[in-house]
Amino acid sequence: MKLYSKTTGWFYDEDIHGANVPADAEVVSDDEYRALLTGQSAGMAIVPGPGGSPVLAPPQIDPSPPQSVTRRQARRALEEAGLLETVETYFSTQASTADRIDYEDAQTFDRDWPALTQAATALGLSSIQLDQLFVAASTL
């Protein structure tokens, strides 16, 4: 079962995100979820519609994501998105030892870090959502 939060603009799965699912998250049917992802892969954006339910819209031109953010910026952005605990659990339990060390000791996070892409995929985050996290982090 997928949930969508109009506040974050992201999808959540209770099995993955547990207690970190935002309070405003609402259930999205499997058919609707697939249709939204199909539209997104065709270049459309998934945005909150009237009432907060996810809808497809022409993509907005967002600022390009920075290629790097500080550890503090990244952790703050993850916390604001309700993902900090989930990401930290992923790196402490599912990532390789080398990736865990890099995650724990990095002073900056690079957008093209392969372990970051793997973590995002494992947690159900799209490339666009990852870019949005980097943009948000760069403002903190």
Side-chain angles (χ1 to χ4, degrees):
M1 173 175 63
K2 298 294 181 200
L3 301 162
Y4 177 81
S5 166
K6 66 180 177 184
T7 303
T8 64
W10 294 352
F11 290 97
Y12 295 85
D13 185 313
E14 287 181 330
D15 292 337
I16 295 171
H17 301 103
N20 294 314
V21 175
D24 72 337
E26 61 181 63
V27 175
V28 175
S29 73
D30 289 340
D31 289 341
E32 184 179 12
Y33 180 71
R34 280 191 292 277
L36 289 164
L37 292 184
T38 298
Q40 184 179 51
S41 68
M44 298 294 283
I46 300 171
V47 299
S53 297
V55 297
L56 291 169
Q60 296 177 348
I61 299 175
D62 288 329
S64 297
Q67 291 305 302
S68 181
V69 295
T70 67
R71 177 173 185 74
R72 182 192 66 78
Q73 288 174 312
R75 290 172 46 83
R76 292 251 337 262
L78 288 169
E79 176 63 26
E80 287 185 9
L83 296 170
L84 181 60
E85 184 177 327
T86 302
V87 169
E88 293 196 345
T89 298
Y90 169 84
F91 276 101
S92 68
T93 62
Q94 297 179 32
S96 70
T97 301
D99 288 342
R100 185 176 67 246
I101 291 168
D102 289 347
Y103 173 77
E104 291 172 355
D105 294 338
Q107 296 304 307
T108 61
F109 290 104
D110 297 329
R111 177 60 182 86
D112 62 355
W113 180 37
L116 181 64
T117 303
Q118 291 171 342
T121 300
L123 299 174
L125 298 174
S126 70
S127 179
I128 292 171
Q129 290 170 317
L130 195 52
D131 287 346
Q132 289 170 338
L133 272 172
F134 266 73
V135 169
S138 71
T139 68
L140 300 173

